[in-house]
Amino acid sequence: MNLHAVQAIYRFEMSRWFRTIVQSVAAPVITTSLYFIVFGAAIGRRMPEIDGVSYGAFIIPGLIMLSILTESISNGSFGIYMPKFAGTIYEVLSAPIGVGEIVLGYVGAAATKSVVLGLIIMATARVFVPYSIAHPLVMLAFLVLTSVTFSLFGFLTGIWADGWEKLSIIPMMVVTPLTFLGGSFYSIDMLPGIWRTIALFNPVVYLVSGFRWAFYGVSDVGVGVSLAATAGFLAACLLAVTWIFRTGWRLKT
């Protein structure tokens, strides 16, 4: 394990993040705060409780997950796309660095950014809506696992993209709609029978449900199923990254 290479990539990516702190941190925090103000503090007072949890508190895990998923994919994809765009990817590929070191450096930095952002949003939510965390260790585990998994997925997206517009297709056109339809603002048990069945095919349902269970002990699906689904997606992304670096797909062209 070339730890010096991992540290170099990690520090470079974190330095780039600090240079764009307004766009990387302030913008998503302000956007999510608006959701807390409108749906939590204003509309939430007029909404009935869901599974014994006030509506304003109920939507907090879903809104945090929305920000984490979007930012993880964006950070992971931009980190690897920039070397491709600038041509410096060839220096990385020709250096004595293995696949593990490259992935650990880029994905580790992207996941760190997402975890920090999630913690900041949690602290911000406390200003607008009172809430509690029933299982803090499980919450932290979900936060880290989700950040790593979708940072890795963003890494794959950055390799696949051959233009700037493709970097925003997955977060905006796929992840955001799936998150809104994945129980962020409601429980899928509130849906009619056929629509609840369809919702179970949405992978974000398992992420939001497991994360909400860590907060309040209530969920739409079992927490074990949520963890298994996230771990399975992580394994699939790792297999895809390994195949890409072995074949050079989208890296050497």
Side-chain angles (χ1 to χ4, degrees):
M1 177 66 72
N2 190 341
L3 295 179
H4 180 73
V6 175
Q7 183 184 27
I9 296 174
Y10 182 88
R11 290 179 62 183
F12 178 82
E13 286 299 303
M14 294 303 295
S15 297
R16 180 176 59 80
W17 184 58
F18 285 116
R19 290 196 299 269
T20 60
I21 199 73
V22 173
Q23 177 184 355
S24 303
V25 177
V29 169
I30 292 174
T31 301
T32 309
S33 297
L34 293 176
Y35 282 111
F36 292 141
I37 294 172
V38 175
F39 291 98
I43 299 178
R45 296 176 180 176
R46 301 177 180 272
M47 298 288 289
E49 292 185 349
I50 302 178
D51 294 330
V53 181
S54 66
Y55 184 74
F58 184 84
I59 65 175
I60 287 176
L63 291 176
I64 295 174
M65 193 61 64
L66 172 62
S67 299
I68 290 175
L69 297 184
T70 303
E71 292 301 314
S72 295
I73 295 175
S74 298
N75 290 326
S77 60
F78 191 81
I80 190 61
Y81 181 78
M82 275 303 297
K84 287 176 53 184
F85 178 77
T88 56
I89 187 65
Y90 301 109
E91 298 177 4
V92 176
L93 295 176
S94 61
I97 310 173
V99 177
E101 288 92 340
I102 295 174
V103 174
L104 190 58
Y106 283 111
V107 175
T112 301
K113 301 171 191 177
S114 298
V115 170
V116 172
L117 178 63
L119 294 176
I120 293 175
I121 292 177
M122 283 186 204
T124 305
R126 181 77 69 172
V127 177
F128 304 102
V129 181
Y131 68 91
S132 60
I133 302 177
H135 308 282
L137 293 180
V138 178
M139 181 278 295
L140 187 61
F142 261 108
L143 182 63
V144 173
L145 182 60
T146 303
S147 299
V148 171
T149 301
F150 280 84
S151 293
L152 188 57
F153 181 68
F155 187 81
L156 291 171
T157 303
I159 295 175
W160 162 76
D162 55 6
W164 291 101
E165 66 280 356
K166 286 189 176 182
L167 291 179
S168 60
I169 288 178
I170 300 298
M172 296 300 297
M173 303 299 292
V174 178
V175 174
T176 299
L178 287 178
T179 305
F180 273 87
L181 297 174
S184 296
F185 295 94
Y186 55 88
S187 170
I188 64 171
D189 290 333
M190 301 167 63
L191 299 173
I194 183 62
W195 290 109
R196 186 184 187 281
T197 303
I198 294 174
L200 292 175
F201 288 94
N202 182 352
V204 179
V205 167
Y206 301 92
L207 300 176
V208 174
S209 179
F211 199 52
R212 183 172 288 132
W213 181 88
F215 276 75
Y216 311 119
V218 297
S219 61
D220 296 321
V221 296
V223 64
V225 177
S226 298
L227 284 171
T230 308
F233 188 59
L234 174 61
C237 290
L238 286 173
L239 289 175
V241 167
T242 302
W243 176 82
I244 286 173
F245 275 91
R246 284 182 176 178
T247 61
W249 181 78
R250 293 281 191 177
L251 288 176
K252 299 178 180 179
T253 58

